[in-house]
Amino acid sequence: MTTGAGTTRKHEVALACAVDWTKKMLPAAAQGIVGLSRGPMSLVKQLRFTEFSYCLRDPLNSSMRSPLWFGGNAQSAAGGKDGWRTTALVEISTERSMVPEWAKNDYYVELDQICINGKCSGQLQEEDFRLKSSDGGKGLMLVDSGNTYMHLDPKIFKALKSVMFDALSVNVVTKEITKGEGEGKSKSNMNCFDETPTGKPDLVLKFPKADMSIPWASYVEKGEHGFCLYILEGTSLLGNFQQHNVSMLYDLKENELSFKRVDDCSSITL
C-alpha cells in the first residue's frame, strides 16, 4: 500500500466475500464494497488511519475514476490545503434517534439551513429531524456514499419545497414513474416540478461554519417526465449524487469533515 510516507505493509487485514442475491445492491461495474465507517471491520479502522478522502466521479462518464486516499495522502491528493470548507462530525444519540447502536459508526453533520438563489428555509429545528446529536444540539444529516439520492425528513422536505417555490416559482409534486419493460418493469415515486423552473441555481446546504453548494445537475434531472429531483423524503442523508466531483476529507482525529468542489475527480493525482 502506498501512503504519505511511501510504501508500507499492513498485516492481519480481514477481507470477506458475499453474494448479491438481489442483483440490486451493486452496479454492474462494481466488483465489491469498501467499508469506510468507524466500525471495527471497516478498512479505515483495520488500516489504523485517522484520515481518508474520496472523490466520486460523474456516473454518466464511465471513463473517469473515483480516487480513494488514506493517511498523509488524503489532503495533498485532493489539492492541498486551499479551498476547503470544514464542519464538525457530530456523535449521534442512538437512544434519542431510535436507531441501532452500530449507527454510531457512521458520519453525521448538523444541518442549519437550505438555500437556493438567496432564498433560505430559516433555522431548521432539531425536533424536525429523526437523527439527533448526543449533546442535544441541532438535527443531524447522515453523510453517505452508498445511497444514490439525498433524503430529507418530512418537515425539512416541506421547507425545501417552500424555498423552491420562492426561488424558482415552481411547486414540487409527486409523480408515479414507470421504468423498464416486461419483467423488469417497476414503478416508483419521484418529486418533480409542476412547471419549467425560472433558472438553474445551486442548492446550498448550510452546515456550521461551512456551506456546500450543489450544482443543478446534481439535484435535478430533466427527462421524459419533466424536471425531477434527486431528493426523496426520508431520514436526512447526503447521497452520492450530491457528492459528484467533490473531494470529501474525513479527519477522525479532529472529528471534522472537509470538502471542496473540483472540476474532475479523475484528474486528482499525487
Side-chain angles (χ1 to χ4, degrees), residues 3-4 12 18 32 45 54 62 70 76 81 98 105 108 117 126-127 129 138 143 151 153 176 179 200 208 211 222 253:
T3 68
E12 298 182 0
K45 199 75 170 181
Y54 59 76
S62 59
F70 296 97
S76 59
K81 297 182 178 180
M98 294 185 290
N105 295 330
Y108 306 90
N117 247 4
E126 183 201 30
E127 58 264 26
F129 290 82
K138 300 167 186 170
V143 182
H151 289 63
D153 287 283
E176 186 179 80
K179 294 184 179 180
K200 298 180 179 181
D211 293 354
K222 187 180 187 302
K253 184 177 180 180

Side-chain angles (χ1 to χ4, degrees), residues 45-85:
K45 199 75 170 181
Q46 291 194 76
L47 297 179
R48 298 176 185 172
F49 287 121
T50 60
E51 202 173 50
F52 71 93
S53 72
Y54 59 76
C55 191
L56 303 178
R57 67 168 176 83
D58 183 343
L60 301 180
N61 189 342
S62 59
S63 65
M64 296 170 64
R65 65 190 183 92
S66 298
L68 171 64
W69 304 95
F70 296 97
N73 284 343
Q75 189 175 75
S76 59
K81 297 182 178 180
D82 296 331
W84 293 92
R85 298 176 182 269

Side-chain angles (χ1 to χ4, degrees), residues 92-104 108 130-131 235:
I92 190 174
S93 168
T94 55
E95 183 178 355
R96 298 175 66 228
S97 304
M98 294 185 290
V99 294
E101 194 67 19
W102 54 257
K104 287 187 175 180
Y108 306 90
R130 178 190 177 190
L131 304 178
T235 300

